Amino acid sequence: MACLLCAHETEEVAGFPALMRVTSDSRIWPAGGRLAICPQCHAVQKPVDSAFQQEAKDIYASYQLYFQSGGSEQKIFTERGARPRSELLLDHLLSLPLPEHCAALDVGCGAGNLLQALSRRRPGWALYGADIGDQRREQILAIHGVKHFFSGDISAIEGRFDIIFLSHVLEHVPSPVAFLRQLAMLLNPGGMLAVLVPHWRENAFDLLVADHCMHFTVPSLHRLLNECGFSILSGGSGLCPKELWAFASLRREEKSPVAIGENNVKAEVDKAIAWLAQARDWAMKCRPHTPLGIFGTAIAATWLTRAAGLAPNFFVDEDKDRQGLAYLGRPVLAPAAVLPESTVLVPLPPGIAENVADRLNRPFGKPVFLVPPAL
Ligand SMILES: [Zn+2]
């Protein structure tokens, strides 16, 4: 299959097809997918063959956005406490020098969380939402400041904008180069693009997401934006844990794109895939423990539960919006409600898992929360 970024022939990752997968809305998905790396530009990707296209269609046809918390946006836990992803993105973006009145478009606006946050913080801006489906049209138009909602693909979008948001969109797009070039034409001179995507280097579970066809690194995201006519203003990892971000503006003069090299991607992906299989095997060994809990109520928790054939008694989530609800038919508990004789598996990337387990084990004085093997 040709690389989605540079059209060079890609190479497949051998261990991937045997792993069960998960959808971006946290439902288990059968094994049998393909993962590939481009030997020329090193981009990690899913070959977009007819099987991928059919699966993506099936996933989107029954998509359930944020069903774990009754529709409220997923919280990101940082040292400064729990905050919705939109607020973290805006904290940073709104600290940049921006005109007083901007026209801002959110592509893939979903339930409108980002538009709502923008509306509260910049009530004078003209806001626009775009999404594939039309189901949320009235909900989006009801947000203060929203002038228009575009449904369908991006060719349906009319007008010019000062800021275009792409939060967790680009990893779903099978032709990212054409997509970004089309968006670039919708920007006013000096206009800006704000991108958030998952970061598999911090979170190997992202590679398992069946409907994500692109898996970015800092260099591959920057290289793509460069090639599509953008200059990077700021970006990297660390704004939201396990995610990459980039703010980019249209390049003014016809400068040639910046060359960004990258090594060892193949070895890193192989290691990540091996680690996922080890984490699953570790969970299988913990299967007889009772009462058994799983930390989290999203992609990694679903995948570990189903891939290891676990029947947990409960899930644990620090997000108050999720506590008291059910997940995969089991109750979601606050960490403080966990009984000391329990075992709770923490399916998070190494490093993050240790921090969470250390903190949550403290009141018990013993290891109740267990971490997967090291990478
Ligand atoms: Zn390539």
Side-chain angles (χ1 to χ4, degrees):
M1 293 292 291
C3 174
L4 301 178
L5 300 193
C6 78
H8 194 280
E9 190 72 14
T10 59
E11 290 170 2
E12 295 212 25
V13 177
F16 188 77
L19 292 176
M20 287 185 87
R21 291 169 291 163
V22 64
T23 63
S24 56
D25 63 339
S26 302
R27 291 174 292 153
I28 196 69
W29 203 252
R34 298 164 73 192
L35 183 69
I37 302 170
C38 174
Q40 176 152 294
C41 79
H42 308 292
V44 182
Q45 55 200 284
K46 306 270 171 55
V48 179
D49 52 11
S50 57
F52 179 92
Q53 284 169 338
Q54 185 56 49
E55 288 187 322
K57 208 172 143 196
D58 294 344
I59 291 168
Y60 300 145
S62 51
Y63 211 70
Q64 293 176 288
L65 198 61
Y66 309 132
F67 70 94
Q68 302 97 320
S69 51
S72 66
E73 190 183 9
Q74 190 184 344
K75 305 267 188 324
I76 308 283
F77 288 83
T78 69
E79 282 126 40
R80 293 159 57 203
R83 302 205 68 201
R85 178 192 280 141
S86 303
E87 299 287 351
L88 282 171
L89 180 66
L90 292 183
D91 285 351
H92 195 81
L93 181 89
L94 298 178
S95 71
L96 300 175
L98 296 168
E100 200 176 331
H101 297 286
C102 280
L105 167 71
D106 185 15
V107 175
C109 64
N113 300 98
L114 180 65
L115 290 171
Q116 264 163 2
L118 256 181
S119 166
R120 275 194 304 274
R121 296 173 67 160
R122 290 295 182 272
W125 284 16
L127 306 179
Y128 300 82
D131 216 319
I132 297 285
D134 203 37
Q135 305 89 325
R136 294 194 176 86
R137 173 180 292 277
E138 296 310 316
Q139 194 183 335
I140 300 301
L141 289 174
I143 298 168
H144 170 84
V146 172
K147 307 290 180 206
H148 198 82
F149 174 79
F150 305 96
S151 64
D153 68 39
I154 54 170
S155 59
I157 301 173
E158 284 170 2
R160 290 285 180 277
F161 308 91
D162 302 301
I163 302 180
I164 297 179
F165 290 92
L166 275 184
S167 174
H168 289 263
V169 170
L170 211 46
E171 67 273 22
H172 295 268
V173 177
S175 46
V177 174
F179 180 83
L180 284 172
R181 288 198 172 136
Q182 229 175 318
L183 281 186
M185 293 194 287
L186 295 173
L187 279 172
N188 281 322
M192 202 200 306
L193 188 66
V195 182
L196 266 186
V197 290
H199 190 202
W200 65 267
R201 275 192 163 137
E202 282 177 271
N203 180 26
F205 293 102
D206 176 60
L207 298 171
L208 298 167
V209 178
D211 48 315
H212 286 177
C213 51
M214 284 302 309
H215 300 280
F216 291 102
T217 57
V218 175
S220 66
L221 178 60
H222 288 193
R223 198 166 45 230
L224 170 64
L225 289 168
N226 255 296
E227 257 178 49
C228 297
F230 294 94
S231 297
I232 309 295
L233 298 171
S234 57
S237 58
L239 185 64
C240 300
K242 303 184 277 183
E243 297 180 19
L244 288 180
W245 59 283
F247 296 144
S249 65
L250 282 177
R251 258 203 312 275
R252 283 192 194 156
E253 61 274 30
E254 253 325 300
K255 275 195 286 190
S256 53
V258 181
I260 306 166
E262 186 161 34
N263 292 313
N264 301 324
V265 174
K266 172 80 170 75
E268 268 184 81
V269 170
D270 285 341
K271 202 169 155 189
I273 295 299
W275 178 79
L276 288 164
Q278 281 166 23
R280 176 201 58 204
D281 297 347
W282 159 77
M284 287 167 92
K285 286 200 194 98
C286 301
R287 210 156 43 186
H289 290 226
T290 182
L292 182 67
I294 308 290
F295 181 82
T297 55
I299 284 168
T302 299
W303 183 78
L304 195 76
T305 301
R306 297 299 194 217
L310 305 177
N313 303 92
F314 58 92
F315 288 85
V316 179
D317 206 306
E318 295 191 276
D319 188 340
K320 289 193 173 61
D321 288 341
R322 297 186 173 191
Q323 294 163 5
L325 300 175
Y327 190 67
L328 304 180
R330 297 284 189 262
V332 180
L333 307 182
V338 172
L339 298 173
E341 62 270 29
S342 311
T343 299
V344 183
L345 309 184
V346 181
L348 286 172
I352 301 177
E354 279 86 5
N355 288 339
V356 167
D358 283 351
R359 182 161 52 78
L360 299 181
N361 282 329
R362 225 167 283 145
F364 295 100
K366 62 170 190 169
V368 166
F369 289 82
L370 303 185
V371 301
L375 195 65

